Amino acid sequence: MSVDVLHLAINFIESTESEQLQAQFRQELVPVSQSVAHLIEQLHLAYNGKPAKGYATFADDLQDRMALPLAEWQAQERSFLQLAEQATSQLVVQLVQHQIQETGYFMLCHYRYLATEYVLVTLLGSKDHFSVTPDLLLSTDQHLDIARMQLAARIDLTEYQTSPEQNKYISFIRGRAGRKVADFFLDFLGCAEGMVAKEQSKVVLASVEEYLSASDYDASEKSAVRKQVYEYCEEQTKQGLDVHLQELSATIDSSDARAFTDYCAEQNIEVPDQFPVDVKELKTLVKFSGAGGGVSISFEQKHLGERIRYDIEKDLLIIQGVPPNLKDQLQRFLKGFSSFDNKG
């Protein structure tokens, strides 16, 4: 993996004694070093690994928040440090307006990965780190809590310049708090939500299943194709890349790379040439799972119709070949004693 760091600015947002948010500004960019490159690489991987992302585009009526300052920086009318200062100030304003009491290190990074340039925007918290010195004394320090990154967005500068009409050049983490966090970051960046990856994933899922139903594949071949499609989409998402229709088609049928794309065209199924996916929505390609009423069930898709049968009319799930550990627990319970009673 090669991440080329071009600019990095770090400011700090803190809460005063009166619980007012204020920003501390670093007066120069962070010098690029091997440590900085490693940090941005970790942020890049962590961001790509976040499953719940939304996609957006700059809103025409909110251009002054990020779009215009970004354009001025690209036109060399303002420095990257000035861009970071403006973004930090805007973030404080939005945090106050949305009544979100978040503090931490605000980072604005311009970097290149492969042939794509990005600007990553994130507010990271810190976490205490404990260690023991050679004299066996306890030492404490703080480190950036990358694993818990929630407030983050990334602008794909390359796509923004070449194909903004796709409405997905900005991605953002929806976060555990749900819609409030999504709205907050959209407001901060001056964006409106664009392409919905979840809906696009449903289209892909349906089109793949329709294609397989119309094909001459047997059950095992269909399961193999579903697994290949899921693994391809999952790998693209981990890399922070879109799914490409031509590549997806070749994954489905290596002997005829255009078979799937031709089928979509014939059936008037609208699948873009490239698009982001929500891997969670594609999970049913390889696995079924569900929980409710004290029952949790999960099994591989390939077992449906063989080891596992579902009676729709009776709403009955029949499992043939119960997993050994579950079978052992059930037998012990039904015989009236627990596994702790059986010593031999």
Side-chain angles (χ1 to χ4, degrees), residues 261-287:
T261 55
D262 291 343
Y263 175 81
C264 291
E266 292 168 0
Q267 300 299 317
N268 294 319
I269 301 173
E270 295 185 5
V271 182
D273 291 336
Q274 65 180 76
F275 49 89
V277 294
D278 186 337
V279 177
K280 291 172 62 177
E281 288 295 319
L282 299 178
K283 196 71 173 180
T284 54
L285 284 168
V286 293
K287 180 176 289 188

Side-chain angles (χ1 to χ4, degrees), residues 298-300 303 306-309 317-328 330-331:
S298 176
F299 59 90
E300 293 182 16
H303 294 311
E306 297 180 358
R307 285 183 58 191
I308 299 175
R309 290 179 291 116
L317 195 68
I318 302 171
I319 303 175
Q320 183 176 1
V322 178
N325 57 345
L326 177 58
K327 180 178 179 180
D328 181 64
L330 293 173
Q331 288 181 345

